Amino acid sequence: VYGDTNSTLAAALAAAKIHIPICHVEAGCRTRSMANPEEINRICTDHVSTLLLASTQSGMDCMAQEGLSSRGHLVGDPMYDAFLQYSHALKGSFLLEQLDGAKCVVPEDFYYLTCHREENTNDTSLLEIFKAMDSLDAPVVYPVHPRNKARAKRLCTEKRFENIILAEPVGYLESLYLVNHAKKIVTDSGGLQREAFFAEKKCVTVLDFVCWPETMINGRNVLSKPKAEAILSALGEEQRVDPDYKPFGDGHSARKIVEYLEVYGG
C-alpha cells in the first residue's frame, strides 16, 4: 500500500485481519496534527504493516520514535522516480479546457495553483487565495477540484477576477508540465509540494502544518495562512537552491522497493 489515503488504510486493515503481510511505501510521514485526516491513516497503516519503506530520513526518525525501527528501511521517494521519468514526456504546451467550455493554450508565463482541502475551499479562504492570485504579474492556471467548481466560478464572476484561468482537472503529464513551466506554485497538496521541490520551483503551501520538512528550507517551500497578504508575502521570499541537497533519494527508489519485497518474500 502507498501513501495515506482512506483506501490505503482500508487495504491495510483488511490485509492485517486475514494475516497477509503488508508493505507500506511512504511510511513514517507525520504532520503532528490529528486535525489532518490523513494523519490517522498514516499512523494506523504503519502500525499494522510488516515492512515499512520510508521516502526520507525524517520518516525513519518518526518510526524510531514510535518503536517501529526494526521494520523500517530508507528507500527514497518513488514520486521522485516518476518525476524524473515523465517530466519531459509531454512535448510542448497543451490546451486547457476551461470551466466555461472554452479552450486556451497554456500561457507562456503563468503561476500554477491547486486548492482542494476542505479548510481552503470555503468562501472566506478561497476568496483570499483568489485575491492573491488575481494580483500577480502573470495569469494563474487553476485546475479546479470537482468539489470546488461552483464556488470558484461564482467567486470569479462576482469579484471579476480576470487573472485566474479556471480549468477542468488535468492529467498527470499535464500537471508535470505545469509544475516544470510555472513561475511559482501555490498549493495545498502534499504531492505537488514535492514536485515543486523537484522542479526547483518556489512553492507556497496554504496549510497550517508541515507535510514534508525536507522542502521547508532556504525559502523553497513556505507555509501560509489563507490570507491574500500572507500568500503574497510568502511568494515574495527568494528561494536558494542547493543542487547537492537530495533528501528524496537518487531516483531509484522503485528498484529498492522491489529488492526489499524480494528479500522479504524469500
Side-chain angles (χ1 to χ4, degrees):
V1 295
Y2 181 92
D4 58 14
T5 63
N6 288 342
S7 58
T8 297
L9 177 58
L13 289 176
K17 291 184 178 185
I18 54 177
H19 310 296
I20 295 176
I22 304 156
C23 171
H24 186 202
V25 177
E26 203 180 274
C29 297
R30 299 290 185 269
T31 65
R32 308 298 185 192
S33 171
M34 295 303 285
N36 172 224
E38 291 86 357
E39 187 78 347
I40 299 163
N41 297 347
R42 298 181 193 105
I43 293 170
C44 293
T45 299
D46 278 349
H47 281 264
V48 300
S49 291
T50 316
L51 188 60
L52 299 171
L53 302 182
S55 300
T56 63
Q57 183 57 47
S58 68
M60 294 295 293
D61 295 342
C62 289
M63 284 191 275
Q65 293 169 12
E66 296 175 24
L68 300 173
S69 292
S70 62
R71 297 182 246 163
H73 303 277
L74 180 60
V75 296
D77 189 351
M79 184 176 282
Y80 185 42
D81 295 19
F83 177 85
L84 295 175
Q85 179 75 23
Y86 296 110
S87 269
H88 304 292
L90 190 64
K91 306 296 183 184
S93 186
F94 63 95
L95 288 176
L96 289 167
E97 184 177 348
Q98 299 178 76
L99 294 191
D100 62 6
K103 294 186 177 182
C104 69
V105 176
V106 176
E108 185 173 344
D109 291 316
F110 66 93
Y111 294 84
Y112 186 20
L113 167 69
T114 75
C115 176
H116 73 284
R117 292 184 185 269
E118 184 176 358
E119 60 265 40
N120 289 330
T121 55
N122 57 71
D123 272 26
T124 302
S125 296
L126 190 61
L127 177 58
E128 288 290 318
I129 293 168
F130 279 4
K131 283 180 179 177
M133 298 298 96
D134 195 60
S135 69
L136 295 173
D137 59 353
V140 176
V141 175
Y142 175 29
V144 184
H145 191 279
R147 73 185 299 172
N148 219 17
K149 283 186 178 181
R151 181 174 287 109
K153 290 174 69 174
R154 175 172 55 78
L155 288 177
C156 279
T157 299
E158 289 177 355
K159 302 299 180 179
R160 298 183 181 179
F161 293 139
E162 299 180 353
N163 200 40
I164 304 171
I165 300 171
L166 299 179
E168 294 288 349
V170 296
Y172 176 62
L173 296 182
E174 288 79 10
S175 183
L176 281 185
Y177 178 93
L178 295 174
V179 167
N180 280 302
H181 291 83
K183 291 172 64 113
K184 296 178 182 179
I185 292 168
V186 178
T187 187
D188 58 8
S189 162
L192 205 69
Q193 291 176 51
R194 279 178 283 166
E195 289 172 342
F197 184 86
F198 303 153
E200 300 183 354
K201 298 291 182 176
K202 169 74 181 187
C203 182
V204 172
T205 298
V206 187
L207 283 176
D208 288 330
F209 51 82
V210 173
C211 293
W212 295 95
E214 294 79 9
T215 68
M216 316 294 292
I217 65 160
N218 301 330
R220 296 189 62 179
N221 184 13
V222 180
L223 290 186
S224 174
K225 298 287 186 183
K227 297 290 185 182
E229 185 176 340
I231 294 169
L232 292 173
S233 175
L235 279 171
E237 293 182 26
E238 293 297 324
Q239 69 165 345
R240 181 173 61 82
V241 177
D242 178 357
D244 296 325
Y245 178 60
K246 302 285 186 181
F248 293 95
D250 59 5
H252 298 287
S253 66
R255 181 180 299 277
K256 295 171 186 174
I257 290 167
V258 170
E259 288 172 353
Y260 276 114
L261 290 173
E262 287 179 333
V263 170
Y264 182 84

